[in-house]
Amino acid sequence: SLDVMMETGQAAGGATALAQAALQSKRGIAASINAQEVQNKAMAAEGEASIQTQVAQGAQRQGRADR
C-alpha cells in the first residue's frame, strides 16, 4: 500500500506507479462499459426488429382470416 511505500522511502515512485495503475484500471473499466452499452443498443435494435416482424406477420394472418 501507499503507507508501506512511504515508510520505506518509495513514496514518490510508488505513488506514481499506483496512479498509473489506477488510470489503466479506469480506462479498462470505461472500455468495458462502452462495449456493454454498444452491445445493449445492438440487442435493443434486434429486439425491436423482431417485434416489427411479428407485428407484420400478425397483420398478414389477420388479413387472411378476415377473407
Side-chain angles (χ1 to χ4, degrees):
S1 76
L2 186 55
D3 292 334
V4 172
M5 289 178 182
M6 289 177 69
E7 289 173 11
T8 60
Q10 301 174 353
T16 301
L18 281 175
Q20 288 175 343
L23 180 60
Q24 284 299 102
S25 177
K26 287 180 183 180
R27 286 180 180 158
I29 291 168
S32 177
I33 290 170
N34 187 46
Q36 184 65 52
E37 288 175 346
V38 169
Q39 183 180 9
N40 290 349
K41 287 178 184 178
M43 292 180 76
E46 185 178 317
E48 181 63 29
S50 177
I51 289 169
Q52 294 299 326
T53 299
Q54 291 174 17
V55 167
Q57 290 173 346
Q60 287 178 341
R61 287 188 197 113
Q62 186 64 39
R64 285 188 222 134
D66 289 341
R67 291 183 190 169

